[in-house]
Amino acid sequence: MTILLFVMLGLFIFMMFRRNKKTQQQQATLQSQFAPGIEVMTSFGLYGRIVSIDDENNKVLLELSPGNVATVHRQSVTKIVEPAAETQAVPDDASSLTADDDGSAAAVNETPDETLKRLNDEGKKDI
């Protein structure tokens, strides 16, 4: 029974050291990617662009907005923010909702009363 307890304790300590080593490797990989001009997020939720990096003092200058610069510890920068993918522009009007010229939309020239009647009748079934 005692041997089993020591084996479990040893396994627990091994897993704990392994996790810490993995975390340190991920942090080192992340910090090696730091360069001026990269968008990052800090551990406390600030987003900014790296202006400069001071390796001796472990400090990073972040430009939060034009003219606003903050100095943070290098380890507080926890994530590199990828630029958002280009999204397709949505028109302000309803032009995208109308049918193409091939007549694929049902009842384009309906009056509002006909539309209401059609929508009310769609859910009803003959029993």
Side-chain angles (χ1 to χ4, degrees):
M1 185 70 157
T2 315
I3 295 173
L4 182 62
L5 182 65
F6 282 122
V7 168
M8 293 296 284
L9 181 66
L11 183 65
F12 177 72
I13 291 172
F14 171 75
M15 296 298 278
M16 190 172 60
F17 280 122
R18 183 173 170 228
R19 182 170 183 230
N20 286 343
K21 186 176 179 182
K22 223 181 228 189
T23 304
Q24 287 175 351
Q25 286 176 345
Q26 288 175 345
Q27 187 71 14
T29 303
L30 177 71
Q31 288 186 4
S32 69
Q33 296 174 352
F34 289 168
I38 292 181
E39 295 280 333
V40 294
M41 183 184 87
T42 63
S43 60
F44 42 92
L46 283 178
Y47 287 88
R49 178 176 286 129
I50 296 177
V51 176
S52 67
I53 301 170
D54 183 9
D55 289 327
E56 293 176 10
N57 297 324
N58 284 329
K59 293 182 181 179
V60 175
L61 281 176
L62 292 180
E63 182 180 29
L64 305 175
S65 64
N68 292 329
V69 179
T71 303
V72 296
H73 194 273
R74 187 176 183 147
Q75 289 180 345
S76 69
V77 179
T78 57
K79 184 177 180 181
I80 294 177
V81 179
E82 300 295 329
E86 294 281 331
T87 58
Q88 198 173 31
V90 178
D92 292 337
D93 58 359
S95 63
S96 64
L97 300 176
T98 59
D100 296 335
D101 291 335
D102 61 359
S104 61
V108 174
N109 296 325
E110 270 183 350
T111 64
D113 291 332
E114 291 171 343
T115 303
L116 283 173
K117 184 176 187 236
R118 180 179 51 85
L119 291 174
N120 286 332
D121 291 339
E122 277 182 357
K124 297 178 183 175
K125 293 183 180 178
D126 292 334
I127 298 178

